[in-house]
């Protein structure tokens, strides 16, 4: 892991990603605490949207091409 090329994100990028991750954690909690199917579906859509935004932000920091991103996305991530 020590030799992995991790780019230096700008302060603005770090702050934006930290904000998105915090909101993603809150959205995940909202999914877990939702009581009705409609509330669960709404919360899940919000969570999915935030996850996609985090992914896009991190991808931009790393400067990944579409092909490289496809490789990253092909690896299953344990929940």
């Amino acid at each position: 892991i020590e030799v992995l090329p991790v780019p230096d994100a700008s302060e603005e990028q770090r702050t934006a990603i930290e904000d998105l991750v915090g909101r993603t954690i809150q959205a995940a909690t909202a999914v877990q605490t939702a009581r009705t199917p409609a509330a669960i579906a709404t919360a899940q859509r919000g969570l999915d949207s935030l996850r996609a935004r985090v992914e896009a932000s991190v991808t931009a920091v790393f400067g990944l091409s579409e092909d490289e991103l496809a490789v990253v996305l092909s690896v299953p991530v344990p929940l």
Side-chain angles (χ1 to χ4, degrees):
I1 290 179
E2 292 174 3
V3 295
L4 290 176
V6 178
D8 287 328
S10 71
E11 184 65 31
E12 182 179 328
Q13 289 171 316
R14 278 193 299 272
T15 300
I17 291 170
E18 288 172 2
D19 177 61
L20 284 171
V21 169
R23 291 171 51 199
T24 301
I25 292 168
Q26 290 174 344
T29 300
V31 170
Q32 293 175 344
T33 59
R35 301 277 185 230
T36 66
I40 293 168
T42 299
Q44 186 64 53
R45 281 193 302 274
L47 176 58
D48 293 344
S49 174
L50 285 165
R51 284 181 174 162
R53 289 177 62 192
V54 169
E55 184 177 289
S57 296
V58 172
T59 298
V61 170
F62 276 84
L64 298 178
S65 69
E66 285 188 33
D67 290 340
E68 292 167 328
L69 181 58
V71 170
V72 170
L73 295 176
S74 71
V75 178
V77 177
L79 301 174

